[in-house]
Amino acid sequence: MAVTFTEKQEALVKESWELMKPKIPELSVLFFTTILEIAPQAKLMFSFLKDTDEVPHNNPQLKVHAMKIFKMTCESAVQLREKGEVVVAGSTLSYLGAFHVKKGVIDPQFEVVKEALLRTLETELGDKWNEEMKCAWSEAYDHLATAIKAEMKEVRAKTDA
């Protein structure tokens, strides 16, 4: 099934992504911190956060993990129009599906990540952020989340078989 992602949406995502690239380390921590503000219980899913009551802003593992999530979300969004499907560089959707199943991720948690992403973008982009850009990023994220959830469903079906 071809993905509908307009030229204008692609331009908005690409433009904002280019503006944010130089600040990926800081934005990654903001993104991850926002996830934990929205859903504090999410820290139990990460071995490097289980034994602390604080969000360790200088934790190297958190920075690496947050940067991977943030970068993958943004870069897969940029690929939507070009490829007509979600493309994840450096890993496969099947790996992501299996990993999310192993960690016990459930559908509502994708909404937490989406909310954190949108808040991070809004904070960073300031007056460049508007409803049209929010819709473009929402659409891009929704396609990525749908692709990962489909892989998770396949992994579960194989496990249950």
Side-chain angles (χ1 to χ4, degrees), residues 17 20-33 35 48 59-75 117:
W17 178 228
M20 294 183 296
K21 273 185 181 178
K23 295 175 99 179
I24 288 175
E26 303 95 305
L27 293 175
S28 297
V29 173
L30 174 61
F31 173 60
F32 205 86
T33 303
I35 289 172
F48 52 88
N59 182 314
Q61 288 178 290
L62 179 136
K63 285 185 179 182
V64 168
H65 188 73
M67 194 152 78
K68 279 183 197 173
I69 293 170
F70 192 74
K71 190 174 179 193
M72 178 185 62
T73 302
C74 294
E75 289 182 348
L117 175 67

Side-chain angles (χ1 to χ4, degrees), residues 26 80 99 144 154:
E26 303 95 305
L80 271 175
F99 184 79
L144 175 62
E154 285 189 30

